[in-house]
Amino acid sequence: MNRVVEVLPDLEALIDRALAIVVDKLNTAVAERGIGTIALSGGSTPKPLYEKLAEQSLPWDKIHVFWGDERYVPADHPGSNQRMARLAWLDKVAIPASNIHPMATNESDPAISAQAHEAELQAFFQIKANEFPEFDVILLGIGDDAHTASLFPHTDALQVHDRLITVGSKDGQPRITFTAPLINHARSVIFMVAGASKQSALTQIFASVADDMTYPARLIHPSGELWWLLDQPAGQNLELKT
Ligand code: 6PG
């Protein structure tokens, strides 16, 4: 794992840094492999990044967009991660509709949606069962509770190691989420963390010893690049063991 931690002065600087890295990774992927794949995080932090991506000139026909997790709500629901990214970015660029791969949330049983999305990834990446694809970029955030994607503390999703996609749960509400092993196969994982409320979670995530089930973002240690982009309020008291 190649971990880089950067503390940026404020959210705007964090977003600009994330933008530069994402644009570089996607352009490199397209240049080297003819295709770029990115999985998006939800929540509020990444929205300005998506708005800035909408202003970029990228080879959209060669870029494929996925989501690292999704709330189990209709695609037009205000809480939908898909809806947020489409409004902020995807509806504004000439990306083919077939290059956008949302997690379906219209099955009565979320487990069916999880299985269907896993099958979609296997077909897209042309991999077999128990193989893991390498996304070029996976964007992540963390909650105040140190969850990431929809891998919430002390939930069954944290124990899933043989699947790409599983069902998460937040306060009893179902989510569809990438599993930790799928995230850990990415070429680059980029955490974007802003705000003083994240300090405590970051301290536990970066601690040399702490419980991974209590602080699920500790489960993320990709074989590729791991970027932690923090704003000053989030990262100012972080002691990093070199
Ligand atoms: C989601 C996200 C989730 C998010 C964190 C941080 O579906 O909500 O994927 O993991 O990244 O909760 O959210 P904020 O950026 O809003 O703090």
Side-chain angles (χ1 to χ4, degrees):
M1 176 177 71
N2 167 13
R3 186 179 80 176
V4 175
V5 181
E6 297 185 6
V7 181
L8 290 309
D10 53 30
L11 176 61
E12 185 175 3
L14 187 165
I15 294 299
D16 286 344
R17 182 72 175 121
L19 179 68
I21 296 167
V22 168
V23 166
D24 173 59
K25 297 302 177 188
L26 289 177
N27 276 324
T28 299
V30 170
E32 291 180 355
R33 291 179 292 278
I35 185 175
T37 55
I38 182 170
L40 308 183
S41 65
S44 56
T45 305
K47 186 176 175 186
L49 169 63
Y50 302 158
E51 290 166 341
K52 292 200 172 194
L53 279 165
E55 298 163 1
Q56 301 303 306
S57 172
L58 281 167
W60 297 119
D61 62 321
K62 297 183 176 65
I63 290 170
H64 286 259
V65 177
F66 302 77
W67 279 262
D69 74 318
E70 185 55 278
R71 293 84 179 275
Y72 210 70
V73 295
D76 60 355
H77 186 280
S80 166
N81 290 338
Q82 173 189 176
R83 177 179 179 273
M84 185 272 274
R86 285 184 185 275
L87 293 176
W89 167 22
L90 301 173
D91 291 351
K92 303 174 183 173
V93 297
I95 186 169
S98 56
N99 286 27
I100 301 172
H101 309 267
M103 294 167 161
T105 56
N106 53 356
E107 294 286 353
S108 56
D109 178 355
I112 296 172
S113 293
Q115 289 158 11
H117 200 61
E118 176 151 329
E120 181 177 352
L121 294 186
Q122 288 168 333
F124 178 83
F125 287 100
Q126 298 175 3
I127 56 175
K128 300 187 290 293
N130 68 48
E131 289 182 329
F132 290 87
E134 292 181 332
F135 279 85
D136 292 301
V137 179
I138 296 181
L139 300 176
L140 293 174
I142 62 166
D144 296 357
D145 61 357
H147 82 262
T148 192
S150 282
L151 301 170
F152 288 90
H154 302 293
T155 57
D156 293 345
L158 306 186
Q159 310 284 355
V160 178
H161 302 294
D162 58 352
R163 307 303 299 267
L164 306 181
I165 306 292
T166 193
V167 177
S169 174
K170 177 182 184 178
D171 305 331
Q173 294 305 309
R175 303 272 191 102
I176 308 295
T177 186
F178 278 17
T179 60
L182 174 55
I183 296 169
N184 285 331
H185 276 78
R187 290 188 175 89
S188 293
V189 172
I190 305 171
F191 279 96
M192 294 178 289
V193 183
S197 71
K198 305 289 174 72
Q199 273 190 26
S200 169
L202 284 169
T203 300
Q204 295 299 333
I205 293 163
F206 281 82
S208 47
V209 177
D211 178 37
D212 294 354
M213 298 297 106
T214 306
Y215 307 105
R218 292 176 60 86
L219 294 168
I220 307 307
H221 30 74
S223 48
E225 299 179 2
L226 175 56
W227 298 80
W228 283 91
L229 304 180
L230 317 176
D231 73 355
Q232 187 69 22
Q236 59 190 356
N237 298 327
L238 202 54
E239 288 179 22
L240 293 176
K241 309 271 184 298
T242 47

